[in-house]
Every structure is written in structure tokens, then in C-alpha cells.
Amino acid sequence: MACCKGEEYGNWCEDVNIVWTDPETGEEYCLFHAPAEHKWMNEHIIERYVDYKIKTQDGCVNLEGSIFTASLKLKEKIFKTIQLSYSTFHGSVAFSNCQFSENLIFNKISTSLGFKILNCTFSNSLYFTNCTLALGTLLGYNDLTQDIEFIDSDLGTGVLAYIEQDFKNLTFAMEDFSFPTISIISKEIKYHVESIYFILDSPNKDAELTLSNLAIDQLSFAYSINAPIHIQGCDINSLDTLEIYIDAPALFDACSFNHLSFTAYHLKRLEFINCSFPQKQKRSVISDSTALNLRTITKKEKFKEREDLYRRLKKRAQDDEARLLASDWHYWEKYFCEKKLFTEGTAIEWLILRLYRLLSDYGESVGKASCWLLIFILTPLLFSYLSQLPLPASGIEVASIAKQGLDYIPLATRTPVSGSWPRFLQLFWQALITFQATLLGFALRNRYRR
């Protein structure tokens, strides 16, 4: 007999083995639809079935209504689409390096652990509707040019989206849920977003909403937001609100606006720091209780705020076990710490971080650490030869010249050079090479940990 859930979900599971029969009703359940306590499955079983469906169904995979007792981790798959609506996940969900040529829609799914979409390519849009994502969602380094929408979904601990290119619309439309942390980040390049909408009802004051380094045509807020809002380094063509209630600080740092309009019945604090308003005559702020501040902060304050921002992002990435992203945020945290120390710290503290970046990108670049180590090793050999130009014809004398350079390389020779200054230079250079080799070791460790 076929699975009793097959007809409800389009009979996609007719080729799946029956694993449990309800002793009271006699209904039979396949591996994917059977209750969690009456089956066993693992990641490899799920992946093999997905591969089979991709091959036989021309890239269309239907797993609607499934109950996954193992994690769903799919890498380097080419889909038209995958249907997971009405599914429950007791493990984590992760898509990495996958391709989707049609809309990807997650409707009424429930997860107990994290939900990650990393390095994937979308030809159309990505939708989450009526979902419960207990530990939040991580979207990183995806090729997505259309829409991302979260509609009536409980986002758990939040959404962290790393933007790597232009895309159209991003919508959060949810009422009566505990507002999580939502961060939309573009790193080095300021990518373009047509619109971002936040239609929220958020009682959680421990959360945070962050947008960083984006070019946004339309940014809109509606309903109630009790969490702090931090918009940093964004070019916003139009910012507007609809009867908004914000009972937390709203901070706009180094942003530019063409049109700004707030229609609100409560704003706890609204601050614009180092912002520009090219069309001031079109800007209006309407509120019955607003602390509106326009102020300029010092470089020291700006660098400290950005260091704190990247530290929080790094911790979030570490909590999500996204070590590659944590590495990026570690670099930028140390970079702004270095800038802060230049303005307020001691010279030795700044110099240490500056050299750390120069020699290994704060322990994150194997290539840079290797190049400097090679330079430090070859430099005494090069100077030994240059000091003896023109070189003698005898091979024995050439070898003797090379040995003079080896005296400055750790473990290459145990012969101390004569004279106090040459001896000091020998010890210093050997220590320098040892130190750089240590930095290379740290960089290799960090790479393999990722």
C-alpha cells in the first residue's frame, strides 16, 4: 500500500518504503512522513533520495510534509526548485553551493536548530511564509537578484544576511511575534537594494535591527518596534514610516538621504550622526514625543562603535558555526580597533596591531604570512651575495658567502658571528624569522579550523 500522507502531498512519496503502520487505524507511513518516534533516518539517506529525485524529476524535488529526524545538509546540488512546505526539522537545515532556477518557497516549516543558506545561486526569489525558525536564519554570500520575503514567520534568534550583490526586494511582514535580531550586511562594496520593508510587531527589547553599507531606494517601517535600530553607512533614497511606534533608540550613522518622512505617534530617540540630507525641503519629522538629535561624533567614537559592531557580528557567526564569516568579521574588528588605537591608544599598542595586519592580516592570511617568511629567509642570503660583488669564480668561496647568509636563519647553522653588532643582528634576524613562522602557523591553524 501507499503512504497515507501521499495523496495529501501530491503522491511524491509513492516510491518510498513504508516503515510504520499505525496499530489503531492501520494507516501506513513512509520513511519521510512517519512520526519521528517511529523511524530512523540519517543525512546520507536523505541526500541519496534528493539526488535520485534531481536525476529523475529534472531538478524538481518534492519533500512536502516530511518529518526529518536527521539534519538536511545539501551541497553542490542543481535544482529547479525544492518543495519543503509543511515539513518539520528536528536537525539543522543547510544549503551550500546549490543552484535554484525557480522560486524557492518555504511555507509552514518548523525547525529546532539553525537554518543556513550559504554560497547559493538563485535565478528567482526566496520566500519564507508562516515559518517557525527556532534558532534563526543565516543567509551568506548568495547570488540572489530578486526578492527575499519573510511573511508571518517566527524567526527565533533572528536573520543574519550577508549581501554580495544587487537585489530587488527584502520584506519582513510579521505580527504578534517575538522580534529577533535582524542584520542585513554588505561588506566592502555598497550593493543596491530596491526596497526593504519592516512590517513588525516586536515586544522584545533585547534584539537589534542592523543595516550596514547598502544603497537602498526605499526603506519602510510600520507598526511597532521595541528593539534598537542601527543603520550604518547606507545611502537611502527614501525613508518613511507609517504610524510607527519605536520604544528604543533609532540610530542612523553616516547615512545619506534624499527624502526622509516619519509619521509616528511615539519615537523614543531618533539620532542622525554624520548624515547628509541633500533635499532638506522635502524632509519632515512628525511625532508627539521625539528626541531628535543631529550631531557629529569624533573619529575615536566612530571607530569604537564599528569595532563593537563587528565584534557582535563575529560572535553571531561563531555561534552559527560560520567560521569563514567569523574570520571576515574578526579582520574588520581588529582593523577598527587599530584605527581606534591610532587616535586614543599608546603608540606601542597601535604599532603591534599595525604590524600584525601587515605580516598576516591579523592571523587570517596564509599567503601574506608565507610571503613575508620567504622574504625574511632570502634577505640575508641576498645581502651576503651583494656584499661580495663581483662574485668569485671558485665554488668554495661562493659556498662560504652563502654560509654567511645562513648564519642569520634559525637552525641553518650554529656558528655565532664575530663582533657585538653582527651578533646582535644575527639574533634579531633569527628571532624575526621565528616570529614570522609562528604567525604562519597561526594562520594555517585558522584556515583549517574554517
Side-chain angles (χ1 to χ4, degrees):
M1 293 179 63
C3 174
C4 64
K5 293 289 186 179
E7 186 174 349
E8 181 180 351
Y9 297 112
N11 292 316
W12 63 264
C13 60
E14 57 187 7
D15 55 356
V16 181
N17 293 333
I18 300 297
V19 297
W20 183 68
T21 301
D22 190 329
E24 296 182 0
T25 64
E27 293 179 331
E28 296 183 335
Y29 291 82
C30 71
L31 175 65
F32 286 93
H33 290 129
E37 63 272 19
H38 294 295
K39 66 181 177 184
W40 175 87
M41 63 196 319
N42 62 31
E43 297 175 18
H44 302 295
I45 292 175
I46 300 172
E47 185 173 14
R48 284 200 301 269
Y49 186 74
V50 169
D51 289 337
Y52 165 73
K53 283 293 188 180
I54 291 175
K55 184 177 180 180
T56 59
Q57 301 296 325
D58 195 25
C60 296
V61 178
N62 188 348
L63 298 173
E64 285 189 347
S66 296
I67 299 174
F68 294 92
T69 57
S71 295
L72 176 65
K73 296 182 179 180
L74 301 177
K75 298 180 180 180
E76 299 177 351
K77 309 296 184 187
I78 300 177
F79 299 95
K80 277 189 177 178
T81 190
I82 181 169
Q83 299 178 44
L84 291 166
S85 298
Y86 307 98
S87 295
T88 300
F89 300 88
H90 294 280
S92 60
V93 183
F95 295 89
S96 60
N97 299 101
C98 295
Q99 299 179 29
F100 302 91
S101 58
E102 297 181 0
N103 288 335
L104 182 58
I105 302 173
F106 298 103
N107 179 43
K108 294 185 178 179
I109 67 170
S110 175
T111 66
S112 301
L113 299 178
F115 194 109
K116 302 177 184 179
I117 302 178
L118 301 172
N119 298 303
C120 292
T121 300
F122 296 83
S123 298
N124 286 285
S125 301
L126 171 62
Y127 299 94
F128 291 84
T129 61
N130 300 289
C131 297
T132 300
L133 308 174
L135 291 185
T137 305
L138 172 64
L139 307 175
Y141 301 109
N142 295 298
D143 184 354
L144 176 65
T145 58
Q146 298 296 319
D147 302 339
I148 305 177
E149 295 194 6
F150 293 84
I151 311 296
D152 292 327
S153 296
D154 182 350
L155 301 182
T157 57
V159 175
L160 182 58
Y162 299 98
I163 305 303
E164 283 288 308
Q165 67 175 84
D166 300 341
F167 70 98
K168 287 190 176 180
N169 303 309
L170 176 60
T171 302
F172 296 85
M174 289 157 280
E175 299 180 33
D176 300 324
F177 82 112
S178 180
F179 181 73
T181 298
I182 299 177
S183 300
I184 316 297
I185 309 294
S186 176
K187 293 199 300 181
E188 298 180 13
I189 300 175
K190 187 170 291 186
Y191 290 103
H192 176 255
V193 184
E194 287 190 9
S195 62
I196 299 180
Y197 297 97
F198 294 96
I199 307 169
L200 306 168
D201 187 4
S202 57
N204 184 2
K205 293 186 178 182
D206 296 326
E208 184 174 358
L209 190 156
T210 301
L211 302 178
S212 180
N213 199 36
L214 299 168
I216 307 169
D217 285 347
Q218 179 73 40
L219 176 60
S220 299
F221 298 91
Y223 297 157
S224 171
I225 299 177
N226 291 346
I229 299 172
H230 187 192
I231 315 294
Q232 182 182 61
C234 293
D235 296 333
I236 303 171
N237 182 49
S238 180
L239 169 65
D240 62 73
T241 67
L242 177 61
E243 297 181 354
I244 191 74
Y245 181 100
I246 301 180
D247 194 27
L251 172 64
F252 293 86
D253 178 11
C255 296
S256 65
F257 302 89
N258 281 336
H259 178 61
L260 170 63
S261 177
F262 266 86
T263 304
Y265 59 86
H266 178 71
L267 293 172
K268 183 172 184 179
R269 187 169 79 250
L270 180 63
E271 296 190 21
F272 298 90
I273 302 175
N274 295 337
C275 293
S276 61
F277 304 91
Q279 299 179 19
K280 294 182 180 180
Q281 70 279 7
K282 293 184 180 180
R283 174 167 54 91
S284 61
V285 177
I286 306 171
S287 172
D288 62 358
S289 59
T290 303
L292 178 60
N293 300 317
L294 299 176
R295 64 186 179 93
T296 300
I297 62 174
T298 65
K299 285 186 176 181
K300 179 179 70 174
E301 293 173 324
K302 179 175 69 174
F303 292 146
K304 187 177 188 310
E305 285 184 358
R306 295 190 178 181
E307 178 192 3
D308 292 339
L309 170 65
Y310 287 115
R311 183 180 294 113
R312 293 197 304 272
L313 291 173
K314 181 179 75 172
K315 184 179 184 305
R316 173 65 189 276
Q318 290 172 338
D319 292 342
D320 289 330
E321 297 183 357
R323 298 196 180 278
L324 182 60
L325 302 177
S327 171
D328 291 340
W329 300 136
H330 171 76
Y331 175 89
W332 289 108
E333 175 199 352
K334 294 301 181 186
Y335 177 79
F336 283 108
C337 179
E338 176 191 324
K339 294 292 186 181
K340 180 190 70 176
L341 290 174
F342 183 77
T343 60
E344 67 170 0
T346 63
I348 187 65
E349 289 177 318
W350 171 81
L351 183 61
I352 290 173
L353 268 186
R354 175 70 173 175
L355 291 176
Y356 193 20
R357 175 161 66 97
L358 178 67
L359 296 176
S360 66
D361 279 347
Y362 308 118
E364 299 295 333
S365 174
V366 173
K368 180 174 284 191
S370 300
C371 288
W372 278 109
L373 179 60
L374 186 62
I375 290 172
F376 292 153
I377 291 174
L378 294 179
T379 297
L381 296 174
L382 180 62
F383 273 94
S384 295
Y385 281 108
L386 291 178
S387 64
Q388 301 294 329
L389 289 178
L391 291 177
S394 170
I396 296 177
E397 294 178 342
V398 171
S400 176
I401 295 172
K403 185 180 179 303
Q404 295 177 19
L406 293 175
D407 290 340
Y408 292 85
I409 301 174
L411 305 179
T413 178
R414 296 184 178 180
T415 305
V417 297
S418 58
S420 58
W421 280 107
R423 177 59 175 163
F424 172 78
L425 181 60
Q426 180 190 36
L427 294 175
F428 170 78
W429 206 261
Q430 289 181 348
L432 183 63
I433 292 175
T434 303
F435 175 74
Q436 186 61 29
T438 304
L439 289 183
L440 176 58
F442 280 125
L444 286 169
R445 182 204 64 175
N446 292 336
R447 166 174 286 187
Y448 288 112
R449 284 176 61 185
R450 298 195 293 266

